[in-house]
Amino acid sequence: MLFVVPPSLQSQDWMALSSRVWAQVPQDPRPAPELLPHATGSNLGDACVVGTINPELYKFPGDKSETNFPEGCLGRLWFSVEYQQEVERLLVGLIKAQRLQAPSESCSPLVKLHLLPDERRFLQSKTRRRTSSPQFDEHFIFQVSSKSVTQRVLRFLVYHVDRQRKHQLLGQVLFPLKEILERDGQCIIWRDLEAESLEVQPPSEFGDLQFCLSYSDCLNLLTVVVLRAKGLWLQEDASFVSVFVKVSLINHNKFVKCKKTSAVLGSADPVYNETFSFRADPTELDTASLRLTVLQSVEGDKSHELGRVMVGPYMYTRGKELEHWNEMLSKPKELVRRWHELCHTTEP
């Protein structure tokens, strides 16, 4: 459902009343980017935070977006999007959320905004305490070229922040920017949250592997917990084969150390729950990576590779693998669990 900014407000601008508080004034000139307040606690690159939004200005009679919630709904998010082509800026207004499903009685949500496919940089809202229907009223700016805007996707990740300040993902919203380019001015949209998990999806082409990552900067330990795999393509009779996972620490494309799980006999969906730790100095985390290879034992001491996945910094990985690595670094001592699709390669 889309709502258009009233014409009477399209020529208005923002002026600062106090820190993080903005009011509208009827003038054309916009504040210079260097005068806008910036978000803290994240690497923003060419993105920043600005202003607030008044959702009451966009309501229409008969709007049922706040009443019709489907069964099993994880929550609903309202936001505004506008692309200023002349200055190549994307303006995003984070308005509110409702009926968030927190793991505890008290919900303290925050939202992280990514402009995919760039997953290294993000903008982050303030945390709203003790509410499952938070009112955010925050504005954000992304700098994005007009040539690439149609290929970009705006992603909202909604988290619950517990008493230990750990972030628990409640759901996500994906919004392809090509949907707004056919419209002029600002649009207000609402979307229901969806789960970000491979748990509910069928296995990928070569199967999937689930594992946890954790890093302790006090002990200089990089920990990997290999949990399980699913949908593996086994060769020969599955009742006579065994499958294991090899975990390799690599630095500057050179193998540092390898460790193996025990072999699970005759299963395309093996369960391991085995933990491995590697010594890694914090200064090495920009050049180190982990390769997890799923192997099937064959005759003698030989093995056949079923698939692999690599996680690490931007130098080596992209997408979910890079996001898993970055999330591990942002949550010291916490086990970060993810599913990953296995890829097939003929390399040794």
Side-chain angles (χ1 to χ4, degrees), residues 131-272:
T131 175
S132 59
S133 297
Q135 195 80 28
F136 292 102
D137 298 338
E138 297 183 51
H139 269 194
F140 306 88
I141 294 177
F142 290 93
Q143 200 72 36
V144 54
S145 71
S146 57
K147 294 181 180 180
S148 65
V149 66
T150 56
Q151 283 79 45
R152 310 299 287 272
V153 176
L154 184 62
R155 179 173 66 179
F156 302 85
L157 294 175
V158 183
Y159 292 89
H160 162 64
V161 183
D162 63 19
R163 293 182 179 180
Q164 288 74 39
R165 296 184 180 180
K166 293 181 180 180
H167 293 182
Q168 303 178 44
L169 184 62
L170 302 181
Q172 69 171 352
V173 169
L174 297 174
F175 182 74
L177 293 185
K178 61 183 180 181
E179 295 185 19
I180 68 167
L181 296 182
E182 297 178 356
R183 301 177 175 85
D184 294 327
Q186 189 183 59
C187 300
I188 287 200
I189 306 110
W190 61 265
R191 291 286 189 274
D192 287 338
L193 271 64
E194 59 185 44
E196 193 207 30
S197 173
L198 284 175
E199 298 271 10
V200 297
Q201 299 181 7
S204 59
E205 182 180 2
F206 301 107
D208 305 286
L209 182 66
Q210 187 187 45
F211 56 92
C212 300
L213 295 178
S214 177
Y215 182 72
S216 173
D217 51 5
C218 297
L219 301 175
N220 291 351
L221 280 183
L222 179 60
T223 300
V224 185
V225 183
V226 181
L227 296 173
R228 54 180 172 154
K230 66 177 181 179
L232 302 178
W233 284 76
L234 303 180
Q235 294 188 345
E236 304 176 351
D237 187 347
S239 61
F240 295 97
V241 301
S242 59
V243 179
F244 63 96
V245 180
K246 182 171 69 174
V247 184
S248 305
L249 176 65
I250 305 171
N251 196 2
H252 288 293
N253 292 319
K254 295 181 179 180
F255 283 91
V256 178
K257 198 168 188 178
C258 296
K259 299 184 179 182
K260 299 178 182 179
T261 68
S262 57
V264 175
L265 183 64
S267 175
D269 304 295
V271 177
Y272 298 100

Side-chain angles (χ1 to χ4, degrees), residues 230-334:
K230 66 177 181 179
L232 302 178
W233 284 76
L234 303 180
Q235 294 188 345
E236 304 176 351
D237 187 347
S239 61
F240 295 97
V241 301
S242 59
V243 179
F244 63 96
V245 180
K246 182 171 69 174
V247 184
S248 305
L249 176 65
I250 305 171
N251 196 2
H252 288 293
N253 292 319
K254 295 181 179 180
F255 283 91
V256 178
K257 198 168 188 178
C258 296
K259 299 184 179 182
K260 299 178 182 179
T261 68
S262 57
V264 175
L265 183 64
S267 175
D269 304 295
V271 177
Y272 298 100
N273 291 329
E274 297 187 35
T275 302
F276 307 96
S277 294
F278 301 89
R279 290 284 179 184
D281 189 88
T283 59
E284 298 174 339
L285 296 180
D286 288 334
T287 57
S289 61
L290 287 168
R291 178 185 294 177
L292 291 90
T293 309
V294 182
L295 298 149
Q296 174 186 327
S297 298
V298 292
E299 295 181 8
D301 295 329
K302 297 181 180 179
S303 59
H304 168 71
E305 181 176 324
L306 301 177
R308 66 171 63 174
V309 60
M310 177 175 284
V311 291
Y314 187 75
M315 182 183 297
Y316 305 110
T317 62
R318 299 291 188 274
K320 292 182 180 294
E321 288 70 35
L322 172 63
E323 186 178 56
H324 195 178
W325 184 266
N326 288 339
E327 188 175 358
M328 172 196 71
L329 297 179
S330 67
K331 300 177 180 179
K333 303 178 183 179
E334 180 180 344

Side-chain angles (χ1 to χ4, degrees), residues 37-56:
H38 289 257
T40 58
S42 61
N43 181 12
L44 303 183
D46 49 6
C48 62
V49 182
V50 57
T52 59
I53 189 168
N54 184 3
E56 299 297 324

